[in-house]
Amino acid sequence: MITRSAKFFEEWRAIARELLQSGIRPDDIRWHDRWQKTNTLLFADEESDDLPTREQIAKPFTVSPKFLLLAKKVAAHRDPQRWELLYRVLWRMTHGERHLLDVSSDDDVLSLTKMDAAVRREAHKTKAFVRFRSVQRDGEEYFVAWHRPDHYVLRLTAPFFSRRFPEMRWTILTPYESATWDPTAKELQYGDGVPASEAPSPDELEDLWKTYYGAIFNPARIKLKAMRAEMPMKHWPTLPETKIIPDLLADAPRRVQTMISQTEGFAMSATNFLPETKTLETLAHAAASCEGCDLYKEATQTVFGQGPASARVMMVGECPGDQEDLQGEPFVGPAGQLLNDVLQTVGIDRDLVYITNTVKHFKWEPRGRRRLHKKPGAREIAACKPWLEAEIDVVKPDVVMCLGATAAQAIIGRDFRITRQRGEFVETDWSPLTIATYHPSALLRAPDPDARANMQSAFEADLQKVADKLNGHEAA
């Protein structure tokens, strides 16, 4: 029996690679979780760098990117048994059960799935509930937040805050680790955790947060049960807005009536039409009668997404065009044909891709006998977003590819710019591998042949990156 310890995913990955290549079976290893401080000393003297003498496995091994992404999330779970579980699954996948992750009923896979879901939920809460306080350090303004997540998600979420607040100097404190962002060096640094007693006291930002929360609070979409589930009481002391929620709730009915009377239809969105049971079939059926915004009045029909629920890639466009509106299927016009050609070129089977649009109804204006496409507005995108979110939640794709700026701004963020960030994989709430490229119709509208050739070359390169993620196998 040998012992090994790990604290972070990359540590476990390096150790697991060494053990696997040495042929060390899962039953011959005792894993120690270095987050468990009480056991650190116990194992300090027992751990050895020397592996038992065994015949080396000569052939290299590979695992799918799907496992690596899953393992990275599971590594952030608090269960000290996760290292053992991950190595056991890795061993099985490299010893005759290559497609083990597809067996959802397997006990090990089920445990990984539950841990992955718990970590994702905690990461989502961390992104939502971290609140910075302003402090002065050496005459400069500095921002500090204290947060208490249930799992070790700080390294999963800190890059999100560095993208969201790139010009601020800030530190996020948790009981087990801290993260500091240096806007000059554009670098994240990690340090020890600190107790809540060392966090800064409330400041003037409290009032700003309350004002901001009151402004974005939508009384028409209140779901008290969901609100209580999403805002555990343990986070309330660090959330300034919790002090004004009772007043906002009491005033909600009056505000709803005011909104309806002043802005016809504003209280409506796809949320009002979502079915209780969410499958691609029930969603498509319910979307057919959606009146969440006014686009349904001029469109022929709802054009819902198409593709298998097991698709590893979801491609998201802007909104249906003229042909899609008439046929009721996404990407069947000239832009769709161009997309098909490039998919074939890079080796992605379209039948295995889920294709949808940010907005499900055709927006157009008359031009003689023609119906000219119009870009959907922010109101229509927001009203339709529940359908897109529900589709992603059902499919759970490995990769989400945004076709065009509208889809990218809806999924990656409103500050996304296609000219600056096209072709870069980023992690979003929807997928750890989210990438944006041109919309194929933009290639068709290119001003001259040279411009189109350049755009098509970039478009093909971006889709090739997706194909490589799907087809390539990285070393464990």
Side-chain angles (χ1 to χ4, degrees):
M1 177 70 70
I2 64 173
T3 61
R4 287 291 182 271
S5 65
K7 192 172 184 179
F8 304 108
F9 167 72
E10 292 301 337
E11 288 180 340
W12 172 86
R13 183 180 183 180
I15 296 170
R17 181 189 293 123
E18 179 187 18
L19 293 172
L20 200 62
Q21 289 180 330
S22 300
I24 308 300
R25 299 181 60 84
D27 292 343
D28 294 333
I29 309 164
R30 181 168 55 183
W31 288 92
H32 165 54
D33 180 15
R34 289 213 317 281
W35 287 110
Q36 309 297 314
K37 295 181 180 178
T38 54
N39 289 332
T40 300
L41 296 176
L42 174 65
F43 283 93
D45 297 333
E46 296 182 12
E47 187 166 344
S48 168
D49 291 334
D50 298 327
L51 292 172
T53 302
R54 295 198 178 202
E55 183 180 355
Q56 297 288 307
I57 296 178
K59 64 179 182 180
F61 60 91
T62 61
V63 294
S64 66
K66 181 178 180 179
F67 172 75
L68 293 177
L69 290 171
L70 179 65
K72 189 175 181 180
K73 291 289 191 305
V74 171
H77 199 279
R78 289 181 69 92
D79 189 335
Q81 301 303 313
R82 66 195 182 287
W83 303 127
E84 175 183 336
L85 173 63
L86 283 170
Y87 187 73
R88 186 165 61 248
V89 170
L90 177 62
W91 176 272
R92 293 176 62 187
M93 292 177 63
T94 54
H95 289 77
E97 298 181 78
R98 189 171 188 81
H99 301 290
L100 175 61
L101 293 185
D102 295 331
V103 185
S104 57
S105 59
D106 182 89
D107 288 344
D108 285 345
V109 175
L110 189 61
S111 295
L112 286 181
T113 303
K114 290 180 178 178
M115 289 184 183
D116 174 58
V119 169
R120 285 175 183 271
R121 282 196 299 273
E122 198 59 43
H124 172 72
K125 288 186 172 67
T126 298
K127 292 176 183 177
F129 296 151
V130 162
R131 299 288 184 267
F132 289 102
R133 266 78 174 178
S134 176
V135 298
Q136 292 292 320
R137 288 186 178 176
D138 300 326
E140 294 184 1
E141 189 173 34
Y142 196 92
F143 296 89
V144 182
W146 191 87
H147 184 67
R148 191 184 66 174
D150 285 340
H151 300 287
Y152 310 121
V153 298
L154 188 58
R155 297 194 182 215
L156 296 178
T157 54
F160 164 82
F161 292 100
S162 69
R163 294 192 296 271
R164 190 170 187 181
F165 306 111
E167 305 304 326
M168 288 170 42
R169 188 178 300 276
W170 53 257
T171 293
I172 299 174
L173 307 172
T174 76
Y176 55 85
E177 196 177 23
S178 63
T180 297
W181 171 250
D182 182 345
T184 303
K186 302 294 181 187
E187 183 180 20
L188 277 167
Q189 294 184 339
Y190 297 93
D192 295 335
V194 299
S197 58
E198 296 186 20
S201 57
D203 64 353
E204 64 271 17
L205 287 184
E206 305 292 292
D207 291 335
L208 289 178
W209 263 112
K210 293 175 187 175
T211 302
Y212 169 75
Y213 189 82
I216 65 170
F217 184 80
N218 186 347
R221 299 185 63 179
I222 292 175
K223 294 183 178 179
L224 287 178
K225 186 176 180 181
M227 178 184 288
R228 294 190 181 102
E230 288 294 319
M231 298 178 70
M233 292 297 294
K234 69 175 185 178
H235 294 310
W236 281 48
T238 63
L239 298 177
E241 62 268 30
T242 55
K243 298 178 178 61
I244 63 172
I245 286 179
D247 292 339
L248 290 172
L249 291 176
D251 193 39
R254 183 194 63 79
R255 292 184 61 186
V256 169
Q257 290 303 316
T258 301
M259 289 167 59
I260 293 176
S261 62
Q262 294 180 348
T263 311
E264 183 178 359
F266 185 76
M268 296 289 287
S269 77
T271 303
N272 302 74
F273 301 88
L274 288 172
E276 287 291 330
T277 302
K278 297 179 179 61
T279 66
L280 292 181
E281 291 75 17
T282 60
L283 288 169
H285 179 74
S289 57
C290 181
E291 298 178 0
C293 70
D294 289 340
L295 291 185
Y296 77 95
K297 296 178 180 177
E298 302 296 334
T300 304
Q301 57 192 311
T302 300
V303 181
F304 205 70
Q306 287 192 346
S310 59
R312 296 180 60 196
V313 181
M314 176 178 286
M315 293 193 170
V316 184
E318 181 185 89
C319 72
D322 182 72
Q323 290 300 311
E324 287 81 9
D325 175 68
L326 296 174
Q327 299 184 40
E329 298 180 21
F331 284 88
V332 293
Q337 185 56 55
L338 174 58
L339 176 61
N340 289 346
D341 293 342
V342 178
L343 285 172
Q344 187 174 16
T345 298
V346 302
I348 299 177
D349 186 348
R350 172 164 171 166
D351 291 337
L352 301 180
V353 176
Y354 188 89
I355 298 181
T356 189
N357 281 300
T358 307
V359 172
K360 313 301 185 191
H361 282 118
F362 181 33
K363 184 175 183 179
W364 58 280
E365 62 181 6
R367 186 71 57 84
R369 295 183 178 180
R370 299 173 59 198
R371 301 191 302 170
L372 288 188
H373 164 270
K374 286 188 67 175
K375 182 178 180 179
R379 159 78 184 103
E380 292 137 359
I381 293 171
C384 212
K385 197 168 184 179
W387 293 123
L388 180 59
E389 292 174 337
E391 288 175 294
I392 298 175
D393 192 48
V394 171
V395 177
K396 295 182 174 54
D398 294 338
V399 179
V400 171
M401 183 166 219
C402 306
L403 302 174
T406 297
Q409 289 171 358
I411 293 177
I412 297 176
R414 297 186 64 179
D415 59 346
F416 177 89
R417 294 295 178 268
I418 200 83
T419 52
R420 233 180 23 231
Q421 296 157 278
R422 178 196 57 75
E424 297 177 3
F425 279 106
V426 297
E427 181 173 353
T428 64
D429 290 341
W430 320 117
S431 170
L433 292 173
T434 304
I435 186 172
T437 187
Y438 295 118
H439 193 287
S441 63
L443 277 63
L444 299 175
R445 295 195 302 267
D448 57 63
D450 288 343
R452 173 169 177 172
N454 290 335
M455 292 177 71
Q456 175 135 356
S457 177
F459 185 66
E460 291 179 1
D462 294 339
L463 266 69
Q464 187 63 59
K465 291 179 183 177
V466 174
D468 291 343
K469 287 290 184 184
L470 298 177
N471 300 326
H473 289 79
E474 301 177 36

